[in-house]
Amino acid sequence: NSILFYIKTKYKKVSDDDANLIAKYLVKYGSEHDVDPKLTAALMARESAFNKEAVSSTGAKGLGQIKNFNFKTLQIEDPFDIQQNTYGTTKYMKYLMSSWQTNSEKVSLALASYFKGINAVKRQNGDLDPKTQGYVQDILKNYDEMSAKIGRAHV
């Protein structure tokens, strides 16, 4: 699959076993929540470089860099568990995308909300500051790279 190909060619520090699990669960939960798994993969690439043990300076954990206060809502007991973190990240993206459902920029606004918090983005009426714009563009670039590899890899 294109996600596995992307991880294995661009993130060589990720073990084959971890890459396989990440790709498997992104597809599984993407299908269950109706979220493009490549979008969630692109988000994880930006958030953690697919390092399941990643911890940010603000305490966000795992592949999707999820904060402790979100664990219960997202059904995460172990943020470093690939399956749980992938499930939680996908579920959170579904929530954010549905929050912006009526907006033509829903993907960008959902990604901005992942970064800044949905209330901060709503307070700014979707007018993103340069740092947030850069974050969103990084993820969309990852997404485009992943999508382009499909044609070349024929997977």
Side-chain angles (χ1 to χ4, degrees):
N1 90 26
S2 61
I3 296 169
L4 182 60
F5 182 80
Y6 178 77
I7 295 170
K8 290 179 82 148
T9 56
K10 193 163 178 180
Y11 296 90
K12 302 205 184 287
K13 290 181 180 178
V14 178
S15 74
D16 286 351
D17 287 346
D18 285 355
N20 283 316
L21 282 175
I22 293 165
K24 171 185 155 183
Y25 289 125
L26 282 167
V27 170
K28 174 181 171 36
Y29 297 128
S31 176
E32 287 178 16
H33 292 290
D34 194 28
V35 174
D36 185 339
K38 291 189 300 294
L39 182 63
T40 310
L43 172 85
M44 287 179 170
R46 172 64 171 75
E47 287 288 342
S48 68
F50 299 105
N51 175 1
K52 68 181 180 183
E53 302 291 333
V55 178
S56 76
S57 59
T58 61
K61 296 179 175 83
L63 296 166
Q65 290 293 278
I66 297 173
K67 298 270 183 95
N68 294 5
F69 60 80
N70 283 321
F71 290 171
K72 186 174 182 181
T73 306
L74 299 175
Q75 298 168 290
I76 295 172
E77 291 179 16
D78 178 1
F80 304 114
D81 178 85
I82 290 172
Q83 182 176 5
Q84 290 181 40
N85 199 290
T86 303
Y87 175 84
T89 302
T90 304
K91 184 177 177 181
Y92 194 43
M93 276 305 296
K94 172 67 174 182
Y95 162 73
L96 293 172
M97 298 229 324
S98 65
S99 297
W100 296 103
Q101 196 64 46
T102 59
N103 193 302
S104 63
E105 296 291 315
K106 77 176 182 181
V107 172
S108 293
L109 292 170
L111 293 170
S113 298
Y114 197 96
F115 182 67
K116 276 190 85 112
I118 192 164
N119 291 329
V121 176
K122 284 185 176 180
R123 276 194 302 273
Q124 296 175 322
N125 295 317
D127 185 23
L128 307 180
D129 60 87
K131 186 175 179 182
T132 305
Q133 285 176 4
Y135 173 86
V136 170
Q137 291 309 312
D138 286 349
I139 294 169
L140 295 176
K141 182 175 158 269
N142 291 342
Y143 179 84
D144 289 345
E145 281 181 34
M146 213 175 310
S147 298
K149 289 183 191 302
I150 295 171
R152 291 199 300 272
H154 299 292
V155 290

